[in-house]
Amino acid sequence: MATNTYRQPNQIMIKRFLSLEWKQYFRSSYWQKNIVINIFMVLFALYFVGLFLVMGFFLLPALKKLFPEQDPFILLNGYIFYWIIGDLLMRFFLQKLPVMSVKPLLTLPIKRSTIVHYVLGKSGVSFFNILPLFAVIPFSIMLANDGYPISVALSWMVCMILIALIINFLNFILEAFSSEKGLSFLPIVGFAGGLFAINYFGLISFTDILGSGIIAVSENSIYLLVPALLLIVLYSYNFKILRQKLFLDASLEAKGKEVNASDLSWTKRFGDVAPFMQLDLKLIWRNKRTKSMAFLMVIGLFYGLFFYTQDVYLEMEFMFAFIGIFSTGFFLINFGQFIPAWDSGYYKMLMSQNIKYERYLRSKFILMVMSVVIMFILGIPYVYFGWKILIAHFAAAIYNIGINTHVIMWGGSFNRKRIDLDKKAAFNYQGTGAVQWLIGIPLMIVPMALFGLINWLIGFEVAIATLIILGVIGIVFHKKLMTFITQKYLDSKYKMIDAFSQDN
């Protein structure tokens, strides 16, 4: 009877999968214990929905006003190439293939193809694919209201949806390829950077080719078969990769689990560093000093308003990098400068466990990178004060991820003062030493001076490019830098244990 129950059509099995995941999610301790985080995620999603809705409704009239002599529809399609590159990079760092607990299902008479189709289909309705609709659909409506044929608006809308899905499945292929390489960031950096360089230097004008192609698709809907066919090819390739890995022995492969933590299920996508991330997140949320630091991120987000609202600072381009680094790196600076002193209360116990120090440090690196990305995204409205400010913040975010994360983690290896997390948060300088003052030089002064000097001698564009290139270099050599930093912590391990055992 059990066999007959599970040998059912794919549609019924997929409904069963959805039901199981729904129950698993809402019955889990994560949902029940982290209502605040769930509310924050909903508000975060609504923020972007509102942002994209405004962009969808006002982009067409804005383009007509800014470029009255050009067709706004043709002008917009010429920039779709840059959206694809940006979306692909964003997905690579933030979007992961949705997974489900397949281990119990592999022992049942369920077709592996059904499981794979479900996982891939679930990725198609992710937030990354739904969000563009809030801009694409309103823009299509505005096109029709402005006198463009309805068939053109509908064909363009379908084309944009297909492109979003193509990026979705292309991202998973790049992730699968990069996971097998030592420099995990290199494939996406090389792929996106190569396409951008080819287009920038005029070897192949992807902006013209893609823009003309989208216009052709919009004017003749039969050409929608081209992106649809490409989507089918990418889906099939993802299906092949996933199906080859879906075996019981692969899912049961022995792995050393040195540390266990309570459930924070979303962190599991980060693999073996998830337990450490869970510990850090609990530490941040449960203690006075770290909790206040998290709330103070709001100050970092609105830091630019103290300067950009005054005309005198808008003329000081060298300040853009300083404000961008401080704003996007607020959590990075405040949290990172006290690594590993945050764990000083139980550092001796932590070091007595059978753990890899590299995983311990990598979890903190991931948290800092996530904070930089989130702070940059939330700061996108600063574009109101000028495109140069947004570009400077983007360059500062890349520099923070590639350089400052490694600098501040290296500086943490010199920390020798413990922190009592139960002490008051306001005006609490416990754990602060010479390291915290000196680390500010490479973190803030060096990039600001470098940016200001190049901006003065050569120009704004070159100064921006310098920060981005330095950040990308740090990202590419991340593993080598982490190996060096980890060894520095290991060399200082017993000195830290002794120092954290003493009262400040």
Side-chain angles (χ1 to χ4, degrees):
M1 292 298 293
T3 300
N4 293 333
T5 300
Y6 291 102
R7 290 191 181 278
Q8 296 180 359
N10 289 346
Q11 296 86 347
I12 298 178
M13 291 309 305
I14 288 174
K15 288 177 63 176
R16 287 181 177 271
F17 291 157
L18 288 170
S19 175
L20 289 172
E21 288 211 47
W22 182 270
K23 293 175 181 177
Q24 180 187 24
Y25 184 72
F26 285 99
R27 292 176 180 177
S28 66
S29 58
Y30 170 75
W31 173 261
Q32 297 169 9
K33 294 180 180 179
N34 295 276
I35 298 297
V36 175
I37 294 178
N38 290 314
I39 293 174
F40 174 78
M41 293 301 293
V42 171
L43 294 176
F44 192 70
L46 291 175
Y47 167 82
F48 281 103
V49 168
L51 199 65
F52 273 62
L53 278 173
V54 171
M55 183 172 61
F57 281 112
F58 291 98
L59 186 57
L60 185 62
L63 289 174
K64 292 177 67 176
K65 183 177 180 180
L66 293 173
F67 306 95
E69 298 179 356
Q70 300 184 49
D71 187 329
F73 183 58
I74 296 177
L75 186 65
L76 175 69
N77 287 320
Y79 287 92
I80 295 296
F81 169 74
Y82 299 107
W83 166 63
I84 292 175
I85 293 295
D87 193 24
L88 189 61
L89 286 170
M90 187 69 69
R91 287 173 185 266
F92 183 85
F93 291 107
L94 297 179
Q95 183 187 20
K96 300 298 178 184
L97 183 66
V99 296
M100 58 186 298
S101 301
V102 297
K103 191 192 304 182
L105 301 178
L106 294 177
T107 61
L108 300 173
I110 300 176
K111 292 181 179 180
R112 284 186 295 151
S113 59
T114 302
I115 300 175
V116 175
H117 280 306
Y118 173 76
V119 173
L120 292 176
K122 186 180 176 183
S123 75
V125 292
S126 72
F127 183 70
F128 287 90
N129 296 325
I130 294 175
L131 185 61
L133 297 180
F134 290 98
V136 169
I137 294 176
F139 188 81
S140 301
I141 295 172
M142 296 300 292
L143 281 176
N145 289 337
D146 198 57
Y148 289 85
I150 295 179
S151 60
V152 170
L154 289 176
S155 297
W156 183 84
M157 181 178 67
V158 174
C159 183
M160 290 299 100
I161 295 172
L162 290 175
I163 289 176
L165 292 173
I166 287 171
I167 298 172
N168 180 72
F169 292 112
L170 179 61
N171 171 50
F172 297 143
I173 294 174
L174 290 174
E175 283 191 3
F177 178 74
S178 65
S179 64
E180 301 173 358
K181 305 298 178 182
L183 298 173
S184 59
F185 294 104
L186 194 56
I188 185 62
V189 171
F191 182 76
L195 290 178
F196 183 84
I198 291 172
N199 181 79
Y200 181 80
F201 292 107
L203 300 177
I204 300 176
S205 182
F206 291 115
T207 52
D208 293 340
I209 294 174
L210 193 60
S212 300
I214 294 174
I215 292 172
V217 170
S218 302
E219 294 176 348
N220 192 344
S221 58
I222 192 66
Y223 291 137
L224 284 171
L225 292 175
V226 176
L229 181 61
L230 179 57
L231 176 62
I232 292 172
V233 170
L234 292 175
Y235 181 93
S236 301
Y237 189 75
N238 274 280
F239 178 86
K240 179 182 177 182
I241 293 175
L242 217 58
R243 197 173 189 276
Q244 289 175 346
K245 296 181 179 180
L246 198 64
F247 287 98
L248 186 61
D249 53 353
S251 66
L252 294 176
E253 183 179 356
K255 293 183 180 179
K257 303 254 182 179
E258 294 88 354
V259 179
N260 291 315
S262 58
D263 185 31
L264 280 171
S265 59
W266 66 270
T267 62
K268 292 180 181 178
R269 68 183 63 186
F270 295 102
D272 52 11
V273 302
F276 300 101
M277 291 184 65
Q278 293 166 0
L279 288 174
D280 284 331
L281 291 171
K282 291 176 181 178
L283 178 145
I284 291 171
W285 191 248
R286 292 177 179 177
N287 297 280
K288 295 179 181 178
R289 186 167 176 179
T290 49
K291 188 185 296 186
S292 66
M293 178 193 65
F295 286 131
L296 287 174
M297 289 178 68
V298 178
I299 296 178
L301 178 61
F302 294 106
Y303 184 74
L305 293 178
F306 293 100
F307 299 92
Y308 297 144
T309 53
Q310 303 180 48
D311 293 337
V312 63
Y313 289 109
L314 289 176
E315 299 175 2
M316 301 179 180
E317 292 181 347
F318 69 91
M319 287 290 293
F320 294 175
F322 173 82
I323 298 170
I325 287 174
F326 187 85
S327 179
T328 61
F330 188 86
F331 177 86
L332 179 154
I333 295 169
N334 286 276
F335 178 78
Q337 65 178 321
F338 294 111
I339 295 173
W342 295 118
D343 305 315
S344 56
Y346 54 92
Y347 189 80
K348 185 185 297 184
M349 182 274 293
L350 193 64
M351 292 298 103
S352 67
Q353 305 299 310
N354 182 27
I355 64 174
K356 290 186 177 181
Y357 213 116
E358 184 271 338
R359 295 179 185 174
Y360 169 78
L361 294 177
R362 184 151 53 97
S363 68
K364 301 181 185 301
F365 174 83
I366 292 173
L367 284 178
M368 290 190 289
V369 170
M370 289 173 59
S371 73
V372 172
V373 174
I374 292 172
M375 293 293 282
F376 167 72
I377 292 174
L378 292 177
I380 287 178
Y382 277 125
V383 71
Y384 173 81
F385 299 102
W387 283 101
K388 283 188 174 181
I389 291 175
L390 180 62
I391 294 171
H393 281 212
F394 174 75
I398 298 297
Y399 185 89
N400 273 331
I401 293 173
I403 302 298
N404 279 348
T405 48
H406 298 105
V407 169
I408 206 163
M409 292 190 72
W410 174 78
S413 64
F414 297 95
N415 281 335
R416 299 291 187 271
K417 293 189 175 183
R418 65 174 295 160
I419 292 178
D420 188 351
L421 296 172
D422 292 326
K423 297 294 183 181
K424 65 177 182 178
F427 303 103
N428 185 354
Y429 298 101
Q430 188 184 43
T432 303
V435 175
Q436 280 67 42
W437 297 104
L438 293 174
I439 202 70
I441 297 175
L443 283 178
M444 304 294 294
I445 298 178
V446 169
M448 180 182 176
L450 182 65
F451 181 90
L453 181 62
I454 296 176
N455 180 58
W456 178 59
L457 293 175
I458 305 177
F460 180 82
E461 293 78 10
V462 178
I464 289 291
T466 301
L467 290 185
I468 293 176
I469 290 171
L470 289 174
V472 169
I473 291 174
I475 292 172
V476 170
F477 291 99
H478 165 69
K479 286 189 176 294
K480 294 185 181 296
L481 291 172
M482 284 300 294
T483 300
F484 169 77
I485 293 170
T486 301
Q487 187 58 49
K488 188 70 178 67
Y489 275 85
L490 291 173
D491 293 341
S492 306
K493 177 178 176 180
Y494 295 101
K495 294 180 180 178
M496 289 182 183
I497 291 175
D498 180 62
F500 292 157
S501 300
Q502 310 297 324
D503 291 330
N504 289 342

